[in-house]
Amino acid sequence: MTQSVVVQVGQCGNQIGCCFWDLALREHAAVNQKGIYDEAISSFFRNVDTRAVGHKVFGSLYQEQILEKLRKSAEHCDCLQCFFIIHSMGGGTGSGLGTFLLKVLEDEFPEVYRFVTSIYPSGEDDVITSPYNSILAMKELNEHADCVLPIDNQSLFDIISKIELMMNSGKLGTVIKPKSLVTSSAGTSKKRQEKPFDKMNNTVANLLLNLTSSARFEGSLNMDLNEISMNLVPFPQLHYLVSSLTPLYTLADVNIPPRRLDQMFSDAFSKDHQLIRADPKHSLYLACALMVRGNVQISDLRRNIERLKPSLQFVSWNQEGWKTSLCSVPPVGHTHSLLALANNTCVKPTFIELRERFMRLYKKKAHLHHYLQIEGMEEGCFTEAVSSLSALIQEYNQLDATKSLPVEDIPRLSVAV
Amino acid sequence: MSIVTVQLGQCGNQIGFEVFDALFSDSHCPQKFCSKRENEAYQASCKERFFSEEEDGVPVARAVLVDMEPKVINQTLSKAAHSGRWKYGQHSHLCQKQGSGNNWAYGYSVHGPRHEESIMNLIQKEVEKCDSLSGFFIVMSMAGGTGSGLGAFLTQNLQDQYSNSLKMNQIIWPYGTGEVIVQNYNSILTLSHLYRSSDALLVHENDAVHKICAKLMNIKQISFRDINQVLAHQLGSVFQPTYSGEGSFHYRRNPLGDLMEDLVPHPEFKMLGVRNIPQMSENSLAYSTFTWAGLLKHLRQMLISNAKMEEGIDWQVRPPLSGLPTLGKMPLSKELHFNTSIANLVILRGKDVHSADLGAFKDPALYTSWLEPVTAFNVWKTQRAFSKYEKSAALVSNSQSLVKPLDMIVGKAWNMFASKAYLHQYTKFGIEEEDFLDGFALLEQVIASYSNL
């Protein structure tokens, strides 16, 4: 059994992190009635106050202290497989410190995977300098993260709105179970005041839970975290994965006939279910992972892949670029669920927009002095960061260019007969 | 003589369990058509091959279980123990905490050397329990990281340390539309390595078995368990005891040795496939009767038209007329192509087995020209029926039938290799582009050799 250490950075990261621990505990409590500290749960916790595991980290001046805390966490794991870093790109702490930590982790624990959940700034952002923060963070993500799961608040907000609409419309046959993990904090360990971002944070927390479910619970086709990187990252730079989670609400019927199950698969590819504003269906797939939980068998999975394949475009050298997993244990309150991770050129617009917003600020040198007065920061950092991002965008452009080309058969090795 | 099974990775362990379960169930299936003495001899032979005994009397599978993460092995061990009928040895397994990440290079270069000693020790202990060792049966998939990479490493080790014993690798070929994105890379590396170190590669394709589940067994929501059970049934019908020769009523001692002798006359050709007839759900079985003539007619046509099951057989395909020169390179895209065999082994089990007429299998037109049918074709029999099937026939063949699937895998892998995608994941652990090229070269050679039969 491997362990993961979650590093929550900044206000955003910590809020999400707290939701995550509540949900994880609830999930494991539901699976293991006896409440024994079993193997699966040990993947996230040590037998101490669990709130101590998620840290609030302060200031890059405290590198040694941070490292100390991380080392201590790592020591408690007898097989540390992965660091999950949760942070935002727009703020100061999450963005700066969060990505600084990546380099630290890479140096200190080179064999441990670094998965980063990054909240990208939306259109209306309350932090004026968020484009600067984001660009600088992107460079670090490019170079030091194994996998990045970009998420944006606007998409989360849209998803939550959709759920509330369904709840309020009282559509026939659609009854949201009041204790649905997605929408409420009912049943969580402490009585928190419901904060404005709670529902959105719950969704992200669900993402992490589902990502690790196949590593924690048994199933007929397991998928460990190291398999995510192996299968979904064809080239080191291209490690940005667009995620979608379905279903987002439980329905009243318990025995869901196959038609509904298939709907879950269709939804995973619709742009309304993506956790970032992106439309993978109309862009190019480099690779796609489907992580299914619950009473779903290989035939259901295959049937849906066959059904959906024709409407999706995969890069020529990865026409069957599907990675699949089947975990027997569904999330609490659902009979089955699906997490889709797509390495798809649809992230490109997000990056382009990021660069444009950066350029608008940078051209006028607005607020730049706040950064330059910090030791170690100079204009070169900015230009380097923009170059790095441009190079990344260019790689996606090149891939997109291959979309309309006919698939050529590469001549095979010929052997003497 | 005994066979030691090595179960590797999730696939290998899940299948291994079903195989032992099928062997045990068949062995204890009530028999209507053979004498008590016959049945007892059969059971004793099966036991010697696959099970050893402990003080409590519960048969212990002659198996070593290896996986790089613990969930599957734990499940496998407990499923067996819970059945109460047979079990795995208490100390016959090795598992680690972190899997191979679907990375052949990791399985081969990291896990292999790291756990070499422990695994070989486990195998040695199992071998010591056998009075006489026929050889090893290694169950693995080629799409993942452990079964494939560690499996390749281990097979090489077995070749070095047990050079006098035979090794047969049971390899599962993944679904064409992926289970694992890098499955084609892993497959190339596995097959090319095994071709050098294994004695025979017994292949099962998930796509083919899936169709059997769908069309013959009528299973609606097919699970991996269903697939594995069909597979186990097929393997059971090959490996359960049969008489040692024509006219004999003693059970043959060395199944692996005999299989190799009958089916692998030349080291260039070691890919074997299995077909089994009839296969159906238990409900349908109760209402069906079969004749040997009917079963064998279907089986033969399945062979020559390259069908993997008895439904949807193309009856148009005919062997080329004898005496005509063999056609040149086999066109892979041709519709009505005929499946040429190097060697075939038919295994018959059940009532009136001696009345079965196998003349049609001895037709020289079925075989490549450099082997006489008398060498190329063999039959094994027993009156003792297999499982609930009053009559059943299995066909193990060394033929062209795997060329097309192999060619597809090589093609896809080559395409991906040309773009250099994912290579950094392999070079990270010491598998370089050159190693890939070696693998491609070897497999293109195999494809060419089989195509030119």
Side-chain angles (χ1 to χ4, degrees):
Chain A
M1 176 57 56
T2 56
Q3 288 87 31
S4 309
V5 170
V6 179
V7 185
Q8 312 165 188
V9 189
Q11 177 180 43
C12 169
N14 276 290
Q15 285 184 5
I16 295 178
C18 285
C19 289
F20 172 74
W21 294 118
D22 280 337
L23 293 181
L25 268 173
R26 190 174 6 159
E27 188 168 77
H28 282 276
V31 170
N32 191 336
Q33 309 308 73
K34 293 179 268 179
I36 292 170
Y37 181 66
D38 71 353
E39 284 246 356
I41 211 178
S42 71
S43 71
F44 280 118
F45 305 93
R46 309 177 262 126
N47 221 346
V48 294
D49 181 354
T50 62
R51 275 164 289 179
V53 179
H55 312 286
K56 228 191 166 83
V57 277
F58 320 96
S60 53
L61 304 167
Y62 296 87
Q63 176 175 353
E64 256 324 297
Q65 277 170 279
I66 297 169
L67 250 184
E68 240 342 278
K69 287 204 196 271
L70 287 170
R71 278 199 203 108
K72 266 227 181 105
S73 284
E75 262 162 44
H76 285 272
C77 308
D78 63 345
C79 183
L80 178 60
Q81 187 177 46
C82 180
F83 284 109
F84 281 108
I85 295 114
I86 313 175
H87 75 133
S88 75
M89 298 283 281
T93 310
S95 152
L97 181 58
T99 51
F100 166 79
L101 277 176
L102 276 178
K103 181 87 181 63
V104 167
L105 291 173
E106 188 176 33
D107 291 337
E108 188 74 15
F109 309 95
E111 314 237 305
V112 180
Y113 286 92
R114 295 170 295 285
F115 273 73
V116 188
T117 307
S118 307
I119 312 298
Y120 277 65
S122 309
E124 324 94 36
D125 209 334
D126 43 5
V127 180
I128 299 178
T129 51
S130 79
Y132 285 159
N133 295 333
S134 305
I135 293 286
L136 292 168
M138 273 297 290
K139 177 161 182 292
E140 305 302 313
L141 289 181
N142 269 348
E143 290 172 17
H144 305 299
D146 287 306
C147 262
V148 179
L149 301 161
I151 298 184
D152 78 57
N153 277 338
Q154 188 59 47
S155 302
L156 290 179
F157 186 76
D158 290 340
I159 285 170
I160 300 295
S161 306
K162 193 170 172 214
I163 295 173
E164 305 212 309
L165 201 67
M166 294 238 57
M167 275 174 80
N168 297 331
S169 74
K171 232 167 145 180
L172 196 65
T174 306
V175 174
I176 312 291
K177 291 196 184 141
K179 290 216 174 113
S180 162
L181 253 188
V182 179
T183 58
S184 80
S185 9
T188 52
S189 59
K190 40 187 175 123
K191 293 275 180 271
R192 276 186 291 116
Q193 280 280 45
E194 187 163 304
K195 300 204 200 77
F197 285 95
D198 259 1
K199 295 195 173 115
M200 290 156 62
N201 294 342
N202 255 321
T203 308
V204 180
N206 268 301
L207 167 68
L208 289 178
L209 269 187
N210 280 300
L211 200 63
T212 54
S213 58
S214 186
R216 292 178 288 131
F217 299 116
E218 43 104 61
S220 64
L221 192 58
N222 296 336
M223 178 155 138
D224 218 343
L225 292 166
N226 49 8
E227 292 171 33
I228 294 179
S229 175
M230 176 69 183
N231 285 284
L232 294 175
V233 183
F235 298 98
Q237 277 249 302
L238 303 176
H239 56 245
Y240 294 86
L241 308 178
V242 176
S243 48
S244 65
L245 272 175
T246 60
L248 295 174
Y249 40 82
T250 53
L251 303 173
D253 2 339
V254 173
N255 236 350
I256 301 184
R259 190 179 60 83
R260 298 282 180 85
L261 176 62
D262 288 9
Q263 187 58 44
M264 178 177 79
F265 283 91
S266 301
D267 286 342
F269 291 91
S270 97
K271 68 172 159 63
D272 297 332
H273 281 72
Q274 309 300 318
L275 296 185
I276 187 172
R277 230 129 42 102
D279 189 7
K281 237 177 158 168
H282 294 101
S283 306
L284 187 68
Y285 275 91
L286 303 181
C288 185
L290 295 175
M291 303 178 67
V292 190
R293 299 179 66 173
N295 183 20
V296 182
Q297 301 302 339
I298 185 70
S299 54
D300 300 311
L301 195 47
R302 292 177 49 71
R303 179 180 68 245
N304 281 286
I305 291 180
E306 289 304 311
R307 187 173 62 86
L308 293 164
K309 229 170 48 155
S311 59
L312 305 169
Q313 270 196 299
F314 274 79
V315 72
S316 66
W317 42 260
N318 209 0
Q319 298 269 290
E320 268 102 24
W322 298 93
K323 165 68 180 160
T324 56
S325 80
L326 294 166
C327 171
S328 321
V329 179
V332 176
H334 299 239
T335 51
H336 40 61
S337 74
L338 170 64
L339 164 65
L341 294 173
N343 191 338
N344 186 306
T345 57
C346 67
V347 286
K348 198 175 62 173
T350 304
F351 297 150
I352 291 178
E353 200 188 299
L354 212 62
R355 184 174 61 181
E356 272 167 23
R357 288 165 66 215
F358 169 83
M359 292 310 292
R360 278 203 291 270
L361 265 185
Y362 190 64
K363 263 198 302 214
K364 300 188 228 145
K365 310 275 185 217
H367 303 281
L368 208 53
H369 57 280
H370 293 304
Y371 292 80
L372 296 178
Q373 71 193 19
I374 294 179
E375 194 183 311
M377 280 297 298
E378 22 170 70
E379 277 201 43
C381 298
F382 286 90
T383 46
E384 264 176 40
V386 164
S387 295
S388 164
L389 182 58
S390 295
L392 183 65
I393 293 173
Q394 186 51 19
E395 286 217 37
Y396 281 111
N397 276 332
Q398 280 173 348
L399 285 165
D400 270 334
T402 67
K403 245 202 305 188
S404 38
L405 295 175
V407 180
E408 266 175 38
D409 257 337
I410 308 198
R412 295 260 292 267
L413 269 185
S414 54
V415 288
V417 165
Chain B
M1 292 174 91
S2 308
I3 297 174
V4 169
T5 300
V6 184
Q7 308 179 178
L8 295 167
Q10 174 166 29
C11 175
N13 279 292
Q14 285 177 184
I15 290 179
F17 169 80
E18 299 296 347
V19 172
F20 280 104
D21 209 45
L23 293 170
F24 186 90
S25 297
D26 167 56
S27 180
H28 288 78
C29 198
Q31 287 299 306
K32 289 189 278 187
F33 299 113
C34 71
S35 69
K36 186 161 172 256
R37 210 181 57 154
E38 170 90 66
N39 198 27
E40 280 170 5
Y42 182 89
Q43 288 179 325
S45 177
C46 167
K47 187 136 169 267
E48 191 202 351
R49 285 183 190 188
F50 299 108
F51 297 93
S52 63
E53 205 164 274
E54 268 175 22
E55 303 89 44
D56 62 359
V58 177
V60 179
R62 296 186 191 277
V64 172
L65 296 78
V66 178
D67 199 359
M68 293 296 106
E69 64 102 359
K71 294 195 296 287
V72 182
I73 285 193
N74 287 340
Q75 250 202 323
T76 308
L77 290 174
S78 77
K79 266 204 295 197
H82 274 116
S83 75
R85 306 176 304 148
W86 64 273
K87 62 184 183 186
Y88 285 104
Q90 237 185 346
H91 304 288
S92 306
H93 63 274
L94 176 115
C95 57
Q96 291 301 291
K97 304 199 183 79
Q98 187 171 192
S100 306
N102 288 165
N103 193 330
W104 193 93
Y106 200 81
Y108 185 84
S109 310
V110 178
H111 284 310
R114 199 179 277 174
H115 306 294
E116 184 182 341
E117 210 182 310
S118 315
I119 300 176
M120 295 310 279
N121 277 341
L122 285 179
I123 293 179
Q124 177 65 22
K125 276 210 291 231
E126 210 47 61
V127 168
E128 277 162 17
K129 285 193 226 163
C130 308
D131 281 334
S132 168
L133 180 68
S134 171
F136 300 99
F137 186 60
I138 301 137
V139 190
M140 55 196 264
S141 74
M142 64 183 195
T146 300
S148 70
L150 180 57
F153 181 85
L154 194 62
T155 308
Q156 245 166 257
N157 254 29
L158 288 173
Q159 189 182 39
D160 295 334
Q161 289 201 25
Y162 295 92
S163 47
N164 289 326
S165 303
L166 294 164
K167 296 162 301 300
M168 174 173 277
N169 291 67
Q170 161 67 44
I171 314 178
I172 305 304
W173 288 23
Y175 287 99
T177 52
E179 296 171 35
V180 171
I181 292 177
V182 290
Q183 62 187 42
N184 298 311
Y185 278 172
N186 293 339
S187 303
I188 299 295
L189 294 166
T190 303
L191 290 171
S192 56
H193 274 75
L194 287 181
Y195 226 84
R196 295 185 201 113
S197 53
S198 174
D199 297 304
L201 310 181
L202 187 57
V203 174
H204 269 101
E205 303 162 76
N206 272 350
D207 278 303
V209 183
H210 188 107
K211 284 206 189 93
I212 292 176
C213 286
K215 301 265 165 67
L216 298 183
M217 316 290 284
N218 273 318
I219 303 173
K220 293 283 174 266
Q221 198 191 21
I222 300 168
S223 67
F224 271 118
R225 181 135 199 263
D226 298 316
I227 298 202
N228 294 344
Q229 285 180 334
V230 168
L231 227 146
H233 176 96
Q234 292 198 340
L235 288 175
S237 71
V238 171
F239 284 104
Q240 286 291 50
T242 50
Y243 301 135
S244 60
E246 199 65 49
S248 166
F249 287 93
H250 291 292
Y251 283 103
R252 86 183 46 241
R253 292 206 64 226
N254 189 356
L256 276 186
D258 294 340
L259 261 169
M260 304 297 181
E261 204 182 298
D262 290 347
L263 290 167
V264 189
H266 190 297
E268 181 81 13
F269 301 93
K270 42 173 83 153
M271 288 205 303
L272 310 177
V274 182
R275 291 171 177 82
N276 184 266
I277 191 174
Q279 280 213 261
M280 51 183 42
S281 64
E282 277 192 21
N283 300 339
S284 314
L285 191 56
Y287 302 104
S288 316
T289 48
F290 303 96
T291 60
W292 286 118
L295 289 175
L296 291 171
K297 184 169 173 207
H298 278 77
L299 199 56
R300 181 178 181 272
Q301 194 61 22
M302 278 160 67
L303 169 67
I304 64 182
S305 69
N306 203 11
K308 308 270 161 78
M309 62 178 181
E310 59 261 44
E311 205 180 289
I313 299 177
D314 186 349
W315 292 94
Q316 300 291 332
V317 180
R318 293 255 181 275
L321 293 172
S322 314
L324 288 176
T326 46
L327 303 163
K329 195 173 163 110
M330 177 177 91
L332 288 164
S333 54
K334 192 155 169 238
E335 290 300 324
L336 284 183
H337 90 258
F338 167 80
N339 185 34
T340 306
S341 303
I342 291 177
N344 284 310
L345 169 65
V346 169
I347 304 173
L348 303 175
R349 301 176 184 275
K351 189 171 174 223
D352 301 328
V353 78
H354 295 294
S355 68
D357 175 13
L358 289 138
F361 277 94
K362 298 180 188 165
D363 181 357
L366 265 56
Y367 300 95
T368 182
S369 56
W370 41 269
L371 268 185
E372 294 289 327
V374 70
T375 323
F377 177 69
N378 287 281
V379 192
W380 295 359
K381 297 179 188 167
T382 173
Q383 279 177 151
R384 204 273 194 186
F386 181 67
S387 190
K388 300 200 172 81
Y389 292 80
E390 185 190 282
K391 297 187 180 77
S392 67
L395 168 65
V396 189
S397 54
N398 188 342
S399 72
Q400 295 177 316
S401 65
L402 289 165
V403 173
K404 193 146 169 241
L406 179 59
D407 187 70
M408 275 190 61
I409 291 174
V410 172
K412 287 186 207 171
W414 184 247
N415 216 17
M416 191 180 268
F417 183 70
S419 74
K420 305 219 185 291
Y422 298 102
L423 289 181
H424 70 284
Q425 309 270 16
Y426 291 86
T427 53
K428 217 172 15 176
F429 299 108
I431 300 297
E432 306 293 333
E433 282 189 33
E434 245 184 54
D435 299 303
F436 277 89
L437 283 170
D438 284 344
F440 281 115
L442 191 150
L443 292 176
E444 293 284 10
Q445 184 65 61
V446 171
I447 293 171
S449 304
Y450 270 100
S451 301
N452 286 313
L453 287 177

